[in-house]
Every structure is written in C-alpha cells, then in structure tokens.
Amino acid sequence: MGLVRLRIKEFADKEGWTIKEVSERSGVPYGTVKTYARWPERSTVDLTALKKLAQAFDVLLEDLFEVVEQ
C-alpha cells in the first residue's frame, strides 16, 4: 500500500481560502477537509471528496496529491 501527501493546505493558501471556505466551496465536510489539511500524509483517501476539492480549486485530481511511499 502506498502513502500519498495531499496538497489541500497548499492550494487553500494559494487561493487565500480558509479550510472552512474550502469546505463550503467544495461541498466536502469541514471535518474531512480539516483532517486532510492537518495530516496531509495519508494511506487512505475518499476519492469522491478529492474530486470535489479538485473542482473547487480548478485543478486536476492528480494535482492534489503526490505519492511519497510505495
């Protein structure tokens, strides 16, 4: 199983958005966004949530994460 690093906080900072604003703009629950932003290295993620976040940031899904461990 691989480990990925989510770039949620990076994109939020770039847009000047708070985590709450990211949640509101994406429709992803605040708790989920907050967890992803606080602990970006994950072994499991909700792909539906990532798709919504990518749409909110207007980026490709692949841009939201990077594989850090295989």
Side-chain angles (χ1 to χ4, degrees):
M1 181 186 303
L3 189 65
V4 298
R5 186 182 73 80
L6 299 177
R7 300 175 61 204
I8 306 304
K9 183 76 171 122
E10 180 182 329
F11 280 105
D13 289 346
K14 181 179 177 184
E15 295 293 335
W17 299 347
T18 65
I19 297 304
K20 183 173 175 149
E21 288 175 310
V22 172
S23 173
E24 292 169 353
R25 291 171 183 264
S26 66
V28 176
Y30 174 75
T32 301
V33 178
K34 182 177 165 184
T35 298
Y36 286 173
R38 278 193 163 168
W39 297 285
E41 292 188 356
R42 319 275 317 154
S43 59
T44 61
V45 293
D46 177 347
L47 288 178
T48 302
L50 289 186
K51 183 177 177 185
K52 289 178 181 180
L53 290 164
Q55 290 172 337
F57 291 123
D58 195 28
V59 298
L60 296 174
L61 180 64
E62 299 84 23
D63 293 336
L64 282 184
F65 63 91
E66 64 181 324
V67 176
V68 292
E69 184 180 304
Q70 291 281 342

